[in-house]
Amino acid sequence: MNTYTETIGNKLNDLLEKTYDAEKGFKKAAENTENNYLKGFFERKAKQRYTFGHELKTEIKSFGQDVEKGDSMTSKAHRTWMDIKAMFTSNSEEAMLEEAIRGEKAAVKEYKEVLNETALPPSTELLLKKQCNAIEVGFNTIKTLEDIRS
């Protein structure tokens, strides 16, 4: 019985694309802040997403699915918006944290939607739960940082 369907492969590829988008967004945020703590935090989040991407690629390949790598139009618009906000917002660090919160919320929602699939192989389910939990921890850290900066 093959529980790994093309639908799941497509959903994992969607997560992979958004994971790489998040990596690029965190890199951009790190470039746009002079606060050393925030810079380090955003750089760590970018590295985390890089690792997540490789884990997802390995999982997709292990079940014989094709790996797609792209850059979504939504993410390009999001990063451009972060650049514009950084240029024109008096408290650009707060704006970047707000954007990071929005992005992390969306990521958690996407992961949970895929996790609700009933046909996930155990290895896929375990990987997605691990990554989702790490994103939630980061999300809570970003919320704390935003509260401190407010």
Side-chain angles (χ1 to χ4, degrees), residues 14-33:
D14 287 345
L15 282 179
L16 178 63
E17 181 178 306
K18 289 175 181 153
T19 296
Y20 284 130
D21 292 346
E23 176 192 355
K24 291 173 188 170
F26 283 121
K27 283 181 180 177
K28 183 63 75 177
E31 292 168 8
N32 286 328
T33 184

Side-chain angles (χ1 to χ4, degrees), residues 48-85:
Q48 177 192 60
R49 288 311 210 290
Y50 175 84
T51 301
F52 285 3
H54 283 281
E55 292 171 347
L56 286 168
K57 281 178 18 180
T58 299
E59 186 70 12
I60 292 166
K61 287 178 184 177
S62 74
F63 290 97
Q65 299 294 308
D66 292 329
V67 173
E68 300 168 13
K69 186 177 181 208
D71 194 10
S72 72
M73 291 305 294
T74 303
S75 74
K76 287 178 185 175
H78 183 78
R79 287 193 305 275
T80 301
W81 179 240
M82 283 183 78
D83 286 343
I84 292 167
K85 278 183 125 176

Side-chain angles (χ1 to χ4, degrees), residues 4-150:
Y4 199 82
T5 64
E6 189 173 301
T7 301
I8 299 301
N10 289 337
K11 288 184 183 225
L12 290 180
N13 269 305
D14 287 345
L15 282 179
L16 178 63
E17 181 178 306
K18 289 175 181 153
T19 296
Y20 284 130
D21 292 346
E23 176 192 355
K24 291 173 188 170
F26 283 121
K27 283 181 180 177
K28 183 63 75 177
E31 292 168 8
N32 286 328
T33 184
E34 294 181 17
N35 180 303
N36 286 332
Y37 182 79
L38 286 179
K39 184 180 289 292
F41 176 77
F42 288 138
E43 287 170 348
R44 285 188 302 278
K45 292 298 290 178
K47 287 177 187 171
Q48 177 192 60
R49 288 311 210 290
Y50 175 84
T51 301
F52 285 3
H54 283 281
E55 292 171 347
L56 286 168
K57 281 178 18 180
T58 299
E59 186 70 12
I60 292 166
K61 287 178 184 177
S62 74
F63 290 97
Q65 299 294 308
D66 292 329
V67 173
E68 300 168 13
K69 186 177 181 208
D71 194 10
S72 72
M73 291 305 294
T74 303
S75 74
K76 287 178 185 175
H78 183 78
R79 287 193 305 275
T80 301
W81 179 240
M82 283 183 78
D83 286 343
I84 292 167
K85 278 183 125 176
M87 285 179 6
F88 295 110
T89 304
S90 62
N91 189 349
S92 63
E93 290 171 351
E94 184 176 344
M96 284 188 285
L97 288 169
E98 288 171 4
E99 288 301 309
I101 287 171
R102 193 172 67 77
E104 295 293 73
K105 275 184 183 177
V108 168
K109 181 180 177 199
E110 293 251 350
Y111 270 83
K112 288 186 176 183
E113 285 173 4
V114 175
L115 282 164
N116 286 331
E117 292 289 329
T118 55
L120 285 176
S123 62
T124 304
E125 183 177 0
L126 184 64
L127 175 65
L128 295 184
K129 282 182 178 179
K130 179 188 78 141
Q131 290 184 355
C132 185
N133 288 340
I135 293 169
E136 286 179 319
V137 167
F139 170 72
N140 289 331
T141 301
I142 295 168
K143 283 179 27 182
T144 300
L145 289 171
E146 186 184 43
D147 290 344
I148 291 170
R149 302 220 35 94
S150 299

